[in-house]
Amino acid sequence: MSATSLREGRSDPAAHSISLVLNGQPRQLDVLPWTTVLDLLREQLDLTGSKKGCDHGQCGACTVLLDGKRVNACLTLAVMLDGRDLTTIEGLANGDQLHPLQEAFVRHDAFQCGYCTPGQICSAVGLAREGRAQSRDEISELMSGNLCRCGAYNNILDAIEEALPATRGEGGA
Amino acid sequence: MNPFAYSKPAAVNEALRLAGPNARFIAGGTNLLDLMKENVTRPERLIDINGLPLRGIDATASGGLRIGALVSNADLAWDARIEQRYPLLAQAILAGASPQLRNMASTGGNLLQRTRCYYFYDAGVPCNKREPGSGCPAKDGLNRIHAILGASDDCVAVNPSDMCVALAALEAVVIVAGPQGERRIDFADFHRLPGDTPERDNVLADDELILAVELPAEGFAAHSRYLKIRDRASYAFALVSVAAALELDGGIIRAARLALGGVAHKPWRRQEAEEVLIGKPASDETFALAADLLLEGARPLAHNGFKIELARRAVVRALGDAAHSIQHQGGRP
């Protein structure tokens, strides 16, 4: 997939102009129809917090918040972002003040290699906003779209379980 | 992913005008973009239908609900009317995919999900569904996840949807628009068996668009159960799933619906299996009769013979859970 051709400017006739709010800032971008949101973020906008794990919607490492709802950036086309609000892991903290879920992940050592962490945290923010998970089992079930190959699940669950009351319904995005 | 043109029409008529054999409608895109990345599907144009007014869940004159094609799987499963009146459907949806995918995937798109047969997904090998006439490596290959019912010499793939199994049991109706206007398709007639044209999953024409799915008034809310058996506790396709719904009167079965997922090219129902339950007590002995009738004619491949007994037991268990109103979130055992 070629996502880099637009770095040079607006020369490609296949490009579409889109307007969106990205991490709180209004942005106008030119994107090719076959560019995914994940490639737009990582290759064109240098927002590399969202990770490419499987690129097929199976691992959750690319999870972002679209209009406040968690989605897989690898299975969303950038051209379909027009008029929408996108929050990535880079947009969760308020300056140096981490989002409560980020703080909880640090406090509970909820990672080993860290590659799945941005997706886990964005997914947990979406989970909190949905307001459906009450028990630890429900958190586990509703976080099943985020894999951790290091197996840090116990600490991830600890972090989310602790932070949920502070973030429920607010979503942080 | 191959280069393609992109359009976003604002009206159904405009969307239909752009449709054709080399174009694909895109709503959530969760399955389509995956297939495009694997070079299984190479459309010349994507028609983004997210600008169409198909997001409502509205009451119908006959007391049911009309679900717009663009309602997301998550919004549908968590709609209060669906949770209360059609818990079978809510359970089935929550048993499928992940929360992220359910936020993206649409109602219409779920009906059009393509099989997860490994050979269909691998553009480097033959597949009659992907390239008609090229052959079927699954028939004599790795076929643990494949069909035990309704398969053909040309194709042994199964439909992967959970939602569709519940919609089959609830006898939903699919409403589609085409150049000649709208038509209504009974859910049982929407998906098809592979026969010698496995490239066609359903009866929708290239220039037709799903507008809505209609649920009848009867939702079997008091006694229904979606049971999904899979290799992992969550986020895996069904090896076997059962949508079971009963209407009981003092322990005697007055009405029954039964559909199997993960076993055929479409949700599997059989009138005889439902009729045998009517007028009988809700007991495991009765349920076993229905299971045997539903599985009649099942034929194992080299690696999926276990599915026959698994399905039989899952049917008995799902009917028992339905009778005793045992509910589980997300179809978990």
Side-chain angles (χ1 to χ4, degrees):
Chain A
M1 184 170 343
S2 66
T4 53
S5 59
L6 288 179
R7 282 182 178 282
E8 308 308 321
R10 304 179 172 209
S11 53
D12 197 316
H16 288 248
S17 181
I18 59 167
S19 301
L20 73 155
V21 175
L22 175 58
N23 291 332
Q25 302 294 317
R27 297 288 295 265
Q28 189 134 24
L29 302 167
D30 288 318
V31 296
L32 292 167
W34 47 90
T35 301
T36 62
V37 171
L38 182 59
D39 285 333
L40 171 74
L41 292 169
R42 293 183 55 85
E43 306 295 333
Q44 288 178 238
L45 302 176
D46 294 325
L47 290 170
T48 54
S50 306
K51 296 292 187 273
K52 184 178 281 194
C54 68
D55 209 24
H56 289 282
Q58 297 172 3
C59 76
C62 67
T63 303
V64 295
L65 295 155
L66 188 54
D67 295 331
K69 292 181 175 175
R70 47 182 167 158
V71 301
N72 300 110
C74 73
L75 289 182
T76 307
L77 292 176
V79 69
M80 293 167 76
L81 288 177
D82 191 40
R84 309 191 67 178
D85 184 301
L86 180 67
T87 302
T88 68
I89 188 72
E90 290 91 345
L92 286 185
N94 183 8
D96 287 338
Q97 192 190 339
L98 293 180
H99 186 281
L101 271 158
Q102 290 175 306
E103 280 182 349
F105 268 63
V106 173
R107 195 158 46 247
H108 288 275
D109 192 22
F111 32 69
Q112 285 183 39
C113 84
Y115 197 79
C116 73
T117 310
Q120 297 277 3
I121 292 175
C122 283
S123 188
V125 172
L127 171 89
R129 175 169 284 190
E130 289 157 11
R132 292 279 168 165
Q134 309 299 331
S135 66
R136 191 176 174 93
D137 276 355
E138 286 167 348
I139 295 171
S140 180
E141 165 63 25
L142 290 173
M143 285 298 292
S144 68
N146 292 82
L147 305 186
C148 169
R149 277 5 245 150
C150 302
Y153 292 112
N154 285 331
N155 292 6
I156 291 170
L157 283 173
D158 289 344
I160 297 172
E161 200 172 15
E162 180 192 85
L164 265 196
T167 55
R168 186 167 285 131
E170 166 265 326
Chain B
M1 208 166 351
N2 62 293
F4 53 84
Y6 169 86
S7 353
K8 189 176 181 184
V12 170
N13 283 347
E14 202 187 330
L16 292 175
R17 196 177 47 75
L18 291 163
N22 299 317
R24 289 286 181 282
F25 295 116
I26 183 166
T30 52
N31 190 207
L32 179 61
L33 294 179
D34 195 26
L35 291 165
M36 288 169 66
K37 288 182 182 194
E38 296 286 7
N39 276 323
V40 174
T41 306
R42 298 173 61 88
E44 290 170 10
R45 174 179 296 277
L46 287 191
I47 306 162
D48 180 356
I49 59 170
N50 284 291
L52 306 183
L54 305 173
R55 287 187 197 280
I57 302 178
D58 303 304
T60 64
S62 54
L65 288 177
R66 179 183 164 112
I67 303 156
L70 290 172
V71 174
S72 75
N73 290 181
D75 284 348
L76 184 57
W78 286 338
D79 182 276
R81 293 161 294 180
I82 299 294
E83 286 181 317
Q84 286 156 25
R85 294 177 51 196
Y86 306 94
L88 181 68
L89 179 57
Q91 285 177 34
I93 294 170
L94 293 175
S98 69
Q100 289 94 319
L101 292 168
R102 293 196 293 266
N103 278 337
M104 307 162 75
S106 69
T107 300
N110 194 307
L111 269 57
L112 303 180
Q113 269 193 92
R114 309 223 58 195
T115 185
R116 261 55 179 196
C117 171
Y118 333 111
Y119 301 99
F120 171 72
Y121 249 84
D122 181 351
V125 302
C127 167
N128 287 324
K129 186 179 277 297
R130 182 164 28 76
E131 287 170 51
S134 64
C136 174
K139 211 171 36 171
D140 300 307
L142 296 171
N143 47 35
R144 180 173 177 269
I145 65 169
H146 291 75
I148 52 172
L149 287 158
S152 70
D153 280 345
D154 290 324
C155 184
V156 293
V158 299
N159 184 300
S161 172
D162 290 297
M163 185 175 96
C164 289
V165 184
L167 289 175
L170 292 168
E171 296 191 343
V173 176
V174 187
I175 298 162
V176 307
Q180 316 302 323
E182 289 186 20
R183 63 176 178 132
R184 299 168 62 87
I185 306 168
D186 287 342
F187 208 84
D189 301 327
F190 184 80
H191 295 101
R192 55 189 297 284
L193 293 178
D196 57 6
T197 51
E199 66 274 19
R200 296 189 61 208
D201 296 347
N202 54 62
V203 300
L204 205 63
D206 286 335
D207 54 2
E208 285 185 311
L209 173 69
I210 298 174
L211 297 181
V213 173
E214 254 182 42
L215 295 174
E218 178 57 70
F220 297 92
H223 297 289
S224 62
R225 167 80 154 110
Y226 188 75
L227 174 64
K228 181 175 182 178
I229 310 294
R230 45 191 157 177
D231 283 327
R232 296 189 296 268
S234 183
Y235 200 15
F237 290 101
L239 291 168
V240 164
S241 70
V242 184
L246 296 170
E247 189 188 313
L248 297 177
D249 182 2
I252 302 298
I253 300 166
R254 295 298 172 207
R257 300 279 179 78
L258 201 48
L260 282 176
V263 297
H265 204 254
K266 61 186 287 186
W268 191 260
R269 282 183 71 192
R270 193 162 179 241
Q271 204 177 349
E272 293 89 332
E274 296 172 14
E275 281 174 356
V276 77
L277 293 166
I278 309 299
K280 295 201 174 70
S283 67
D284 281 0
E285 291 71 31
T286 310
F287 301 150
L289 293 175
D292 285 342
L293 283 168
L294 190 57
L295 271 301
E296 204 169 281
R299 284 199 1 218
L301 299 163
H303 303 291
N304 70 356
F306 72 97
K307 278 192 180 188
I308 298 176
E309 182 59 20
L310 185 64
R312 213 173 253 133
R313 294 184 191 195
V315 166
V316 172
R317 180 149 149 222
L319 284 166
D321 284 357
H324 299 106
S325 305
I326 296 170
Q327 306 279 333
H328 296 255
Q329 188 195 19
R332 287 183 123 176

